[in-house]
mmCIF file of all heavy atoms in Angstrom:
data_model
loop_
_atom_site.group_PDB
_atom_site.id
_atom_site.type_symbol
_atom_site.label_atom_id
_atom_site.label_comp_id
_atom_site.label_asym_id
_atom_site.label_seq_id
_atom_site.Cartn_x
_atom_site.Cartn_y
_atom_site.Cartn_z
ATOM 1 N N VAL A 3 -5.666 -21.007 -16.278
ATOM 2 C CA VAL A 3 -6.285 -21.613 -15.097
ATOM 3 C C VAL A 3 -5.845 -23.070 -14.966
ATOM 4 O O VAL A 3 -5.516 -23.524 -13.862
ATOM 5 C CB VAL A 3 -7.824 -21.484 -15.157
ATOM 6 C CG1 VAL A 3 -8.485 -22.245 -14.024
ATOM 7 C CG2 VAL A 3 -8.229 -20.012 -15.113
ATOM 8 N N ALA A 4 -5.782 -23.797 -16.064
ATOM 9 C CA ALA A 4 -5.356 -25.201 -16.012
ATOM 10 C C ALA A 4 -3.903 -25.323 -15.573
ATOM 11 O O ALA A 4 -3.552 -26.208 -14.786
ATOM 12 C CB ALA A 4 -5.559 -25.856 -17.379
ATOM 13 N N ALA A 5 -3.053 -24.436 -16.052
ATOM 14 C CA ALA A 5 -1.641 -24.455 -15.638
ATOM 15 C C ALA A 5 -1.522 -24.151 -14.155
ATOM 16 O O ALA A 5 -0.721 -24.777 -13.445
ATOM 17 C CB ALA A 5 -0.827 -23.450 -16.456
ATOM 18 N N MET A 6 -2.314 -23.219 -13.676
ATOM 19 C CA MET A 6 -2.278 -22.904 -12.250
ATOM 20 C C MET A 6 -2.771 -24.095 -11.432
ATOM 21 O O MET A 6 -2.203 -24.414 -10.394
ATOM 22 C CB MET A 6 -3.110 -21.663 -11.947
ATOM 23 C CG MET A 6 -2.464 -20.376 -12.443
ATOM 24 S SD MET A 6 -3.411 -18.918 -11.983
ATOM 25 C CE MET A 6 -3.073 -18.829 -10.217
ATOM 26 N N GLU A 7 -3.814 -24.749 -11.908
ATOM 27 C CA GLU A 7 -4.330 -25.914 -11.189
ATOM 28 C C GLU A 7 -3.275 -27.007 -11.098
ATOM 29 O O GLU A 7 -3.115 -27.644 -10.067
ATOM 30 C CB GLU A 7 -5.588 -26.450 -11.866
ATOM 31 C CG GLU A 7 -6.229 -27.578 -11.101
ATOM 32 C CD GLU A 7 -7.579 -27.960 -11.647
ATOM 33 O OE1 GLU A 7 -8.032 -27.388 -12.658
ATOM 34 O OE2 GLU A 7 -8.202 -28.851 -11.053
ATOM 35 N N ALA A 8 -2.517 -27.184 -12.162
ATOM 36 C CA ALA A 8 -1.511 -28.250 -12.203
ATOM 37 C C ALA A 8 -0.246 -27.908 -11.425
ATOM 38 O O ALA A 8 0.390 -28.802 -10.862
ATOM 39 C CB ALA A 8 -1.161 -28.568 -13.657
ATOM 40 N N HIS A 9 0.143 -26.629 -11.374
ATOM 41 C CA HIS A 9 1.480 -26.308 -10.868
ATOM 42 C C HIS A 9 1.579 -25.216 -9.802
ATOM 43 O O HIS A 9 2.583 -25.148 -9.092
ATOM 44 C CB HIS A 9 2.377 -25.887 -12.038
ATOM 45 C CG HIS A 9 2.443 -26.890 -13.124
ATOM 46 N ND1 HIS A 9 3.100 -28.089 -12.998
ATOM 47 C CD2 HIS A 9 1.906 -26.878 -14.371
ATOM 48 C CE1 HIS A 9 2.988 -28.774 -14.123
ATOM 49 N NE2 HIS A 9 2.263 -28.066 -14.970
ATOM 50 N N ALA A 10 0.599 -24.336 -9.698
ATOM 51 C CA ALA A 10 0.769 -23.123 -8.888
ATOM 52 C C ALA A 10 0.889 -23.380 -7.395
ATOM 53 O O ALA A 10 1.554 -22.621 -6.693
ATOM 54 C CB ALA A 10 -0.364 -22.137 -9.157
ATOM 55 N N GLU A 11 0.276 -24.441 -6.899
ATOM 56 C CA GLU A 11 0.366 -24.678 -5.462
ATOM 57 C C GLU A 11 1.755 -25.157 -5.052
ATOM 58 O O GLU A 11 2.144 -25.023 -3.905
ATOM 59 C CB GLU A 11 -0.717 -25.646 -5.012
ATOM 60 C CG GLU A 11 -2.099 -24.989 -5.067
ATOM 61 C CD GLU A 11 -3.197 -25.877 -4.552
ATOM 62 O OE1 GLU A 11 -3.042 -26.452 -3.464
ATOM 63 O OE2 GLU A 11 -4.215 -25.997 -5.258
ATOM 64 N N ARG A 12 2.514 -25.691 -6.004
ATOM 65 C CA ARG A 12 3.875 -26.167 -5.715
ATOM 66 C C ARG A 12 4.950 -25.186 -6.164
ATOM 67 O O ARG A 12 6.086 -25.280 -5.721
ATOM 68 C CB ARG A 12 4.110 -27.517 -6.413
ATOM 69 C CG ARG A 12 3.290 -28.647 -5.849
ATOM 70 C CD ARG A 12 3.631 -29.982 -6.493
ATOM 71 N NE ARG A 12 3.650 -29.968 -7.947
ATOM 72 C CZ ARG A 12 2.587 -30.113 -8.733
ATOM 73 N NH1 ARG A 12 1.398 -30.276 -8.199
ATOM 74 N NH2 ARG A 12 2.708 -30.099 -10.039
ATOM 75 N N ARG A 46 -8.390 -20.774 -8.297
ATOM 76 C CA ARG A 46 -6.958 -20.939 -8.539
ATOM 77 C C ARG A 46 -6.163 -19.802 -7.928
ATOM 78 O O ARG A 46 -5.098 -20.017 -7.369
ATOM 79 C CB ARG A 46 -6.671 -21.050 -10.040
ATOM 80 C CG ARG A 46 -7.316 -22.253 -10.674
ATOM 81 C CD ARG A 46 -6.705 -23.631 -10.369
ATOM 82 N NE ARG A 46 -6.286 -23.973 -9.061
ATOM 83 C CZ ARG A 46 -6.989 -24.713 -8.175
ATOM 84 N NH1 ARG A 46 -8.185 -25.136 -8.480
ATOM 85 N NH2 ARG A 46 -6.502 -25.003 -6.987
#
Side-chain angles (χ1 to χ4, degrees):
V3 173
M6 288 184 73
E7 185 171 2
H9 305 289
E11 289 184 49
R12 292 184 311 276
R46 298 287 42 99

